[in-house]
Amino acid sequence: MHLYRFPADRQALCASTEDSPGSPYDIGTAKFKELVESGSDGRITVHCYHGDMTTDEIEGTEMVQTGNLEMLWTSMGSLNGFAPITDIMGLPFLFDSPEHLEKCLNSEFGDRILSEISKIDNIEAIAFHQDGWRNITTTGKVIESLDDLKGLKIRSMMSEMLVDMYSALGAVPTSVSYSELFTALQTGLVEAQDNSLTICESDGLDEVLSSACINNLFYAGGVVLVADDWLAGLSEEDQQLIINSAKEAGAYQREWTLENEKNITEQFEKDGWTITYPDDKDAWIDAVQSVYEKYTDLNPQWQELIDMVNEQK
């Protein structure tokens, strides 16, 4: 799927995501397509592919590296094998609020994260997007306080840091692949998971879930990757169009996700879900300090970035 060349000055690029149509990724890439095609007066065409171009985000990243794909909208979590710094984005309660997050993404902190990712061979990280804020949703048990997490069997992504986080909170983390999550919840292998409600709704997980604990436990960020060689081959004007459109589309998607999350929360509550907002957040934050200590010891460079985040509060 390398760059298609059309007669005269017409050209096209492929933008791939791993999520289904209607997901935040779909919203972001659709906005990007609109901005690029409008900004180039139709001279550049963007083809968006959702979940059917690569087997997973790791393969997608490798396709960008080899030049077989011009652009990938991917999660931060899938990049830790390429750029370990991306793990810092998933620290529990790193960002206080969506407003705090936006300040950080548009500060030196955000620039540093993109710069580190751009050290991957033939990869340029040009903008942020997001999976969304992660909150705990359950098949039955209602979570009203930290004490309610004790013994809770929760699905965790295959991340040592998230396993440590849930263990520190008193839950029992179980690594389950996303493709097996619905069945794991249905059979009781796990009784909770942490995707955003937007993802729960778009991927049908709401069919087996009935309760949500809203306290923005951690943030699942995303990044827009392009192939270095491809980007460098464009005119300076087109390079700026691609970069600026990705940044604008990412910001648009993050705002859309917040509004959509609010709407879905209200709808789930009407459908009979129990929605809780724990008022003991300080206890949760205290409980995960061991995670900060472990990972800043392992990654001393993280402390400077955490300080940058705290300066934006």
Side-chain angles (χ1 to χ4, degrees):
M1 290 293 181
H2 197 46
L3 181 64
Y4 295 104
R5 294 294 180 186
F6 289 83
D9 63 347
R10 188 168 178 77
Q11 59 187 24
L13 69 91
C14 300
S16 176
T17 81
E18 282 303 304
D19 277 18
S20 57
S23 70
Y25 284 51
D26 181 28
I27 297 301
T29 52
K31 186 65 175 178
F32 173 77
K33 173 181 172 68
E34 173 192 324
L35 291 168
V36 170
E37 293 182 351
S38 174
S40 65
D41 294 324
R43 181 172 49 81
I44 301 176
T45 301
V46 179
H47 298 291
C48 300
Y49 297 86
H50 303 283
D52 58 357
M53 196 174 203
T54 65
T55 57
D56 57 37
E57 292 180 319
I58 293 175
E59 182 186 14
T61 302
E62 292 170 343
M63 288 177 69
V64 175
Q65 283 186 291
T66 58
N68 291 315
L69 182 65
E70 289 82 44
M71 173 178 286
L72 179 71
W73 288 55
T74 184
S75 68
M76 289 284 195
S78 69
L79 291 176
N80 59 4
F82 298 89
I85 194 66
T86 54
D87 276 342
I88 196 173
M89 297 290 286
L91 280 170
F93 305 113
L94 178 63
F95 306 107
D96 282 353
S97 66
E99 294 76 20
H100 179 219
L101 168 70
E102 290 299 319
K103 288 175 67 176
C104 292
L105 295 184
N106 291 294
S107 71
E108 184 183 355
F109 171 84
D111 292 341
R112 285 275 296 275
I113 297 297
L114 293 179
S115 177
E116 289 296 316
I117 297 171
S118 296
K119 291 179 181 178
I120 304 171
D121 289 344
N122 199 35
I123 291 284
E124 187 76 18
I126 61 173
F128 292 106
H129 69 93
Q130 70 178 24
D131 266 347
W133 296 84
R134 295 297 181 95
N135 293 293
I136 297 173
T137 53
T138 69
T139 55
K141 187 174 183 179
V142 175
I143 307 300
E144 296 183 287
S145 69
L146 179 61
D147 288 343
D148 295 324
L149 258 68
K150 291 179 179 177
L152 181 75
K153 295 183 294 181
I154 186 166
R155 179 260 179 172
S156 172
M157 289 185 287
M158 296 176 187
S159 160
E160 182 180 353
M161 188 169 73
L162 291 183
V163 169
D164 289 341
M165 176 190 73
Y166 282 121
S167 296
L169 291 170
V172 179
T174 303
S175 291
V176 174
S177 68
Y178 191 71
S179 62
E180 298 173 350
L181 178 55
F182 185 96
T183 301
L185 289 164
Q186 193 175 44
T187 60
L189 176 64
V190 294
E191 53 190 325
Q193 64 93 47
D194 61 17
N195 283 290
S196 67
L197 298 191
T198 298
I199 296 298
C200 290
E201 192 272 340
S202 67
D203 289 359
L205 295 176
D206 54 313
E207 295 178 22
V208 288
L209 295 165
S210 62
S211 180
C213 169
I214 309 296
N215 67 350
N216 291 348
L217 180 57
F218 69 98
Y219 177 73
V223 68
V224 181
L225 307 178
V226 294
D228 257 341
D229 291 346
W230 171 76
L231 188 66
L234 301 179
S235 67
E236 185 174 339
E237 179 183 0
D238 284 350
Q239 288 183 39
Q240 286 305 308
L241 175 62
I242 296 297
I243 293 170
N244 293 340
S245 296
K247 291 182 183 296
E248 184 175 343
Y252 174 87
Q253 180 235 38
R254 293 193 297 276
E255 184 176 350
W256 176 89
T257 302
L258 284 176
E259 185 62 27
N260 195 59
E261 194 80 358
K262 176 183 175 183
N263 293 338
I264 289 176
T265 301
E266 293 174 354
Q267 184 58 53
F268 282 2
E269 198 161 20
K270 290 178 182 177
D271 292 342
W273 277 49
T274 301
I275 309 294
T276 62
Y277 300 87
D279 57 10
D280 62 341
K281 190 171 182 177
D282 287 345
W284 294 61
I285 293 173
D286 288 343
V288 297
Q289 289 312 297
S290 60
V291 178
Y292 277 78
E293 292 167 4
K294 175 179 177 178
Y295 288 91
T296 52
D297 282 346
L298 291 172
N299 307 279
Q301 69 275 23
W302 282 23
Q303 189 58 57
E304 182 182 3
L305 292 167
I306 293 170
D307 291 342
M308 290 180 186
V309 169
N310 291 335
E311 287 170 4
Q312 297 296 327
K313 292 182 180 178

